[in-house]
Amino acid sequence: MRQLSDTDRTPRLGRVFPDSNYTTEEIAQRKAEREALMQRCDAIFEGVTSNLIDEFYDWFMVIEPESGDYFIDEDEDLAVQKAHEKYPTNACVIYCINETGACCRV
């Protein structure tokens, strides 16, 4: 068997996906869009949580901010599936129905 030396290796340069380089403006725009989405969803979550927290504590809620619709299920995957069936192309945000809205602990 032949031994590989350092001269046999070709250095790999660049990114894995060189076509997906974003400018700082594009990154800032995406961040602003994500923050706006979260603000709209947070407002909806805060508005309905007090009515749902007793009956659905620790269930999952997926919110579609454009319509204000939300989908609740005990299983996270089913809640996401319900939202995706009705709004297949819209961005949604998932919450856990509790005091903080966080889905898990770190």
Side-chain angles (χ1 to χ4, degrees), residues 4-22:
L4 292 177
S5 68
D6 289 337
T7 59
D8 292 337
R9 294 186 181 182
T10 305
R12 297 178 185 253
L13 302 175
R15 297 175 50 103
V16 176
F17 301 106
D19 296 336
S20 64
N21 291 329
Y22 298 111

Side-chain angles (χ1 to χ4, degrees), residues 23-59:
T23 64
T24 55
E25 293 82 18
E26 290 173 322
I27 293 171
Q29 179 185 1
R30 287 173 179 244
K31 183 177 179 180
E33 289 171 357
R34 194 169 44 249
E35 288 175 358
L37 172 74
M38 289 302 297
Q39 287 178 353
R40 290 194 310 265
C41 290
D42 285 346
I44 295 168
F45 179 75
E46 294 296 327
V48 299
T49 302
S50 60
N51 299 334
L52 301 172
I53 200 163
D54 292 333
E55 187 176 350
F56 300 106
Y57 191 80
D58 276 345
W59 283 36

Side-chain angles (χ1 to χ4, degrees), residues 42-93:
D42 285 346
I44 295 168
F45 179 75
E46 294 296 327
V48 299
T49 302
S50 60
N51 299 334
L52 301 172
I53 200 163
D54 292 333
E55 187 176 350
F56 300 106
Y57 191 80
D58 276 345
W59 283 36
F60 294 95
M61 173 190 286
V62 178
I63 299 175
E64 195 285 317
E66 300 301 321
S67 66
D69 288 348
Y70 55 89
F71 305 88
I72 299 173
D73 202 285
E74 196 169 9
D75 183 1
E76 178 181 4
D77 294 331
L78 290 176
V80 171
Q81 182 181 358
K82 288 177 186 179
H84 185 69
E85 286 174 1
K86 188 164 184 183
Y87 301 103
T89 59
N90 294 12
C92 297
V93 177

